[in-house]
């Protein structure tokens, strides 16, 4: 029996988009079970003294990330449109509400579809994922009842759950997204997705 | 005809080790010609305000890098021994002299063997690559005449060439090692080695 894998994702993260779109098919090939756990990079970056994404702090790194995302999306057959640099929906987008909705949605069988649609809305269609109207539409399209999900997203228990995910991520040593854990074994980056799943299969 | 690829490497860089050991076989499979260009990350990190490697500045990132190196080396069948944290041969090692020797060596047919041996000495055998006795031995083992190479390494022209490589790297937008360029197309990281070579083959 392969070990279970936890997929740690942040909605504002570009490389988390690639993994969110790819992980189910790769996991299925290997018979691996994956738990999706949304978390927030903000508090983790803050703890390192960063006020924004390192892709904004280091322009050369940021510039190449966007180009790499174009290349990698094309390689994987995924739609991708780089946000215009002067777009008010700046990078990174505010992802807290989307993450809380995801926590509610992931209890349902349409939850992963909702998560993927949040990424597509952001990185292919240029939508603002912090806008409640965007989320409302995505929940309904995925198969949920928006009023119920948004109510749950604002509940104390959901806020606590997201905070607990951030704490758990930090104590597992996460410092970026996406990340994958197999027990205490940590893999960072979309380019380690296959390694993490293989690890789950090949480790005793 | 595939485009030529430039392989930008820094001797102190752990992921450059993986690429140095892998690139010739991967390039040969695809019929791609690769030019090896050593450069220094120090001045590039300095320009970003870093006094040492980000793997030292951000401990969680550094810890996972060492673990990832163990896993990736095993995957590629390469020897790897993590330097002990209290080892006087600290990370990152001082790589300037090795890089200057490489510039001299890469004019010779044993030059790449020398480069690979510098990496193995450092990341498998625990040697200090800033030590002239280490380099002397590695040059002779690779097939060179140490006195000639070390003389050339200290020549003004070689020092200028290394500085020019750093300037060229910076103007191409490099911010880490290894990197690969195909014209102005920049790929960063050992995990983009195959992408860069494929790009050289598949682009007009």
């Amino acid at each position: 029996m392969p070990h279970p894998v936890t997929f740690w994702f942040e909605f504002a993260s570009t490389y988390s988009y690639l993994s969110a779109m790819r992980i189910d098919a790769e996991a299925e090939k290997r018979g691996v079970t994956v738990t999706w756990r949304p978390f927030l990079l903000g508090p983790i970056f803050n703890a390192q003294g960063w006020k924004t994404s390192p892709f904004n702090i280091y322009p050369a790194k940021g510039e190449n990330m966007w180009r790499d995302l174009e290349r990698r999306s094309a390689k994987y057959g995924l739609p991708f449109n780089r946000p215009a640099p002067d777009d008010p929906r700046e990078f990174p987008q505010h992802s807290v509400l989307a993450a809380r909705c995801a926590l509610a949605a992931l209890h349902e069988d349409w939850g992963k579809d909702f998560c993927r649609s949040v990424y597509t809305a952001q990185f292919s269609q240029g939508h603002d994922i912090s806008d409640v109207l965007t989320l409302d539409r995505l929940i309904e399209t995925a198969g949920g009842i928006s009023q119920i999900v948004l109510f749950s997203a604002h509940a104390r228990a959901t806020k606590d759950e997201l905070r607990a995910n951030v704490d758990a991520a930090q104590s597992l040593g996460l410092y970026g997204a996406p990340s994958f854990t197999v027990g205490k074994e940590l893999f960072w980056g979309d380019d380690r997705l296959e390694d993490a799943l293989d690890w789950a299969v090949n480790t005793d």
Side-chain angles (χ1 to χ4, degrees), chain A residues 53-201:
Chain A
S53 163
F55 294 127
N56 290 339
I57 299 172
Y58 306 108
K61 196 180 172 76
E63 193 51 48
N64 193 242
M65 178 277 286
W66 291 113
R67 179 67 187 129
D68 191 52
L69 248 287
E70 287 173 350
R71 291 186 306 233
R72 286 252 144 179
S73 300
K75 174 175 173 162
Y76 295 132
L78 296 170
F80 176 73
N81 287 299
R82 177 177 175 171
D86 58 351
D87 195 297
R89 297 177 292 274
E90 61 186 14
F91 174 82
Q93 288 199 18
H94 298 287
S95 57
V96 178
L97 183 57
R100 289 179 183 155
C101 288
L103 285 174
L106 285 165
H107 294 294
E108 313 293 335
D109 58 8
W110 49 268
K112 293 182 184 180
D113 286 337
F114 166 72
C115 292
R116 283 184 285 258
S117 78
V118 171
Y119 281 112
T120 310
Q122 181 182 197
F123 292 121
S124 164
Q125 295 152 0
H127 292 302
D128 177 356
I129 63 160
S130 71
D131 184 340
V132 71
L133 294 179
T134 302
L135 293 169
D136 174 278
R137 183 177 54 79
L138 297 176
I139 292 162
E140 296 277 339
T141 305
I145 297 168
S146 166
Q147 228 179 345
I148 295 175
V149 174
L150 286 167
F151 182 83
S152 171
H154 286 95
R156 163 62 69 92
T158 304
K159 294 179 181 180
D160 287 348
E161 192 182 347
L162 184 55
R163 217 171 283 123
N165 275 3
V166 174
D167 291 345
Q170 240 163 341
S171 65
L172 281 162
L174 269 75
Y175 52 93
S179 290
F180 313 92
T181 51
V182 189
K184 289 201 175 301
E185 198 73 29
L186 167 65
F187 297 82
W188 168 54
D190 176 66
D191 33 47
R192 294 298 182 276
L193 186 158
E194 285 84 353
D195 281 9
L197 296 172
D198 289 342
W199 189 269
V201 172

